[in-house]
């Protein structure tokens, strides 16, 4: 059997760990051949590929990013895209695909399965917003990076009696903001799932100043003030219809400074949350996902995604995994709210 592997969407710590696990088990246990398609779904669209052998994955466990590169290509936005993919797979003798990605990449995987292509999905996103899995790899690393940044910002905020607003990633789901804010001892955490009242945020900030502490506000990039709109870096949309968010941190810092008369600065962590070495947890989770994805291919169980349920790796239908985003429930946010101010 010959198996194709691709990584789509935003890069994420742990992608290389999945590739390594897939190739090692596939070759050493089953004797399969592997081909890596470059740049997400653009690879099987254009035939851009490379062989994947044991030597190619020997030293990639600790590396961030992906040796196969990535893109936000949507073959369903390309004329004849599905037929092109089928032809490339046939020309290269590929019997099955393992697609590693988030909601968009796996949404394409689900549609391709419906169109007769054998695909197994592996859940990847730092946002932890994929349904049907308790955690995605990459999330733990992103939270650890954001938490370390918040830890460092506490000292400089206190030294200058400033309010610091830390903008983290999270378009529709506030998991990174919630977890890093709690771990980092933030004064306020703002998530997309719950529109925030600026007056209330200012009240919490002023309370911290009254206690002679410097407030730290953690805000997800998709968070919205009541009656407000998303802050956009650009109005252009990618192949999956997403605009680039950004700027809520700067806007909120300006509001706090204007209303309190206190110095306020914004720090945007941006893509630093995606980069670098994955944590031990993400390396292990990614490896387990890769090993179990190989098992699904061996069983001919296509149209599924490997998922974490409790401590077990299970298989769920791609249709279930991509049906809806996993967002922060109200009760989780309310648990954190007791610490605000």
């Amino acid at each position: 059997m010959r198996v194709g592997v691709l990584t789509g969407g935003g890069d994420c710590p742990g992608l290389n760990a999945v590739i390594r696990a897939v190739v090692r088990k596939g070759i050493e246990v089953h004797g399969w051949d592997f081909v890596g398609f470059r740049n997400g779904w653009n690879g099987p669209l254009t035939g851009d590929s490379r062989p994947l052998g044991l030597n190619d994955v020997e030293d990639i466990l600790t590396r961030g990013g992906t040796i196969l590169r990535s893109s936000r290509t949507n073959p369903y936005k390309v004329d004849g895209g599905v037929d092109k993919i089928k032809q490339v797979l046939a020309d290269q003798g590929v019997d099955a695909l393992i697609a590693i990605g988030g909601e968009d990449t796996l949404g394409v995987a689900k549609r391709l399965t419906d169109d007769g292509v054998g695909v197994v999905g592996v859940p990847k996103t730092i946002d932890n917003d994929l349904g049907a899995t308790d955690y995605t790899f990459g999330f733990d690393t992103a939270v650890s990076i954001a938490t370390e940044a918040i830890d460092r910002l506490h000292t400089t905020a206190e030294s200058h009696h400033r309010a610091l607003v830390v903008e983290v990633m999270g378009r529709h789901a506030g998991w990174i903001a919630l977890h890093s804010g709690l771990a980092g001892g933030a004064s306020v955490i703002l998530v997309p799932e719950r529109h925030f009242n600026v007056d209330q945020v200012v009240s919490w900030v002023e309370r911290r100043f009254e206690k002679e502490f410097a407030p730290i506000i953690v805000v997800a990039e998709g968070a919205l003030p009541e009656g407000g709109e998303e802050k956009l870096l650009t109005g252009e949309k990618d192949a999956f219809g997403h605009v680039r968010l950004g700027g809520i941190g700067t806007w909120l810092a300006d509001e706090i400074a204007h209303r309190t008369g206190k110095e306020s600065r914004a720090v945007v962590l941006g893509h630093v949350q995606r980069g670098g070495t994955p944590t031990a947890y993400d390396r292990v989770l990614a490896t387990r996902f890769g090993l179990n994805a190989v098992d699904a291919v061996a069983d001919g169980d296509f149209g599924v995604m490997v998922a974490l349920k409790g401590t077990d790796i299970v298989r769920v239908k791609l249709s279930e995994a991509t049906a809806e985003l996993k967002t922060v429930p109200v009760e989780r946010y309310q648990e954190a709210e007791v610490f605000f101010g």
Side-chain angles (χ1 to χ4, degrees):
M1 176 177 279
R2 195 165 201 230
V3 179
V5 184
L6 64 85
T7 55
D11 67 298
C12 177
L15 284 166
N16 287 322
V18 179
I19 297 169
R20 173 178 176 269
V22 164
V23 171
R24 288 191 61 177
K25 184 168 186 176
I27 292 176
E28 295 178 349
V29 175
H30 299 286
W32 297 342
D33 292 325
F34 283 90
V35 56
F37 287 105
R38 294 187 177 95
N39 301 313
W41 289 114
N42 188 65
L45 264 176
T46 63
D48 186 5
S49 65
R50 54 167 288 185
L52 286 176
L54 293 176
N55 289 338
D56 299 303
V57 301
E58 177 63 29
D59 61 350
I60 66 173
L61 176 64
T62 62
R63 289 173 58 180
T66 164
I67 63 170
L68 295 178
R69 307 295 174 88
S70 189
S71 75
R72 298 190 185 278
T73 303
N74 184 352
Y76 285 91
K77 295 291 185 179
V78 177
D79 289 340
V82 176
D83 291 334
K84 291 178 181 178
I85 287 178
K86 289 181 176 180
Q87 188 60 55
V88 166
L89 296 182
D91 291 344
Q92 298 199 16
V94 174
D95 304 293
L97 276 176
I98 294 177
I100 313 165
E103 58 169 321
D104 296 325
T105 301
L106 297 185
V108 170
K110 189 267 179 189
R111 294 182 67 178
L112 284 174
T113 299
D114 294 341
D115 288 329
V117 179
V119 187
V120 170
V122 176
K124 171 257 8 167
T125 168
I126 66 169
D127 292 327
N128 197 41
D129 60 358
L130 263 177
T133 185
D134 290 346
Y135 282 97
T136 54
F137 70 86
F139 172 66
D140 186 72
T141 303
V143 169
S144 297
I145 291 169
T147 300
E148 181 180 357
I150 294 167
D151 289 346
R152 293 176 180 273
L153 291 170
H154 272 292
T155 56
T156 186
E158 291 169 1
S159 297
H160 295 276
H161 309 288
R162 290 172 177 157
L164 285 182
V165 180
V166 184
E167 181 180 317
V168 300
M169 287 185 170
R171 175 185 299 275
H172 300 299
W175 292 107
I176 294 176
L178 179 65
H179 282 238
S180 65
L182 280 173
S187 306
V188 182
I189 302 168
L190 305 174
V191 297
E193 292 86 344
R194 180 173 176 176
H195 294 185
F196 63 89
N197 182 287
V198 180
D199 291 334
Q200 179 64 76
V201 172
V202 169
S203 174
W204 281 323
V205 167
E206 289 177 329
R207 191 185 311 170
R208 292 294 289 175
F209 277 126
E210 289 170 1
K211 296 177 181 178
E212 299 188 357
F213 293 114
I216 299 287
I217 301 93
V218 177
V219 57
E221 62 186 351
L224 288 172
E226 292 177 351
E229 297 180 348
E230 289 180 326
K231 304 301 179 183
L232 307 180
L233 287 178
T234 173
E236 296 180 1
K237 296 182 178 181
D238 64 19
F240 293 95
H242 301 309
V243 293
R244 289 179 60 194
L245 299 181
I248 187 63
T250 300
W251 177 87
L252 183 57
D254 290 343
E255 284 291 310
I256 291 171
H258 175 71
R259 297 185 186 212
T260 66
K262 300 287 188 179
E263 189 175 3
S264 181
R265 301 286 180 86
V267 177
V268 181
L269 296 186
H271 286 78
V272 70
Q273 296 159 89
R274 291 190 183 278
T277 300
T279 60
Y281 180 88
D282 278 339
R283 296 182 205 182
V284 172
L285 181 59
T287 298
R288 294 183 70 198
F289 278 157
L291 297 176
N292 281 271
V294 169
D295 291 341
V297 172
D299 293 341
D301 192 6
F302 300 117
V304 301
M305 180 189 84
V306 292
L308 180 69
K309 292 291 187 181
T311 58
D312 297 327
I313 305 297
V314 300
R315 301 175 195 171
V316 298
K317 293 294 185 184
L318 281 169
S319 56
E320 178 186 353
T322 57
E324 60 181 0
L325 290 178
K326 181 181 66 183
T327 55
V328 177
V330 173
E331 58 270 19
R332 291 291 297 277
Y333 187 80
Q334 289 174 335
E335 288 175 353
E337 199 167 19
V338 70
F339 293 105
F340 291 177

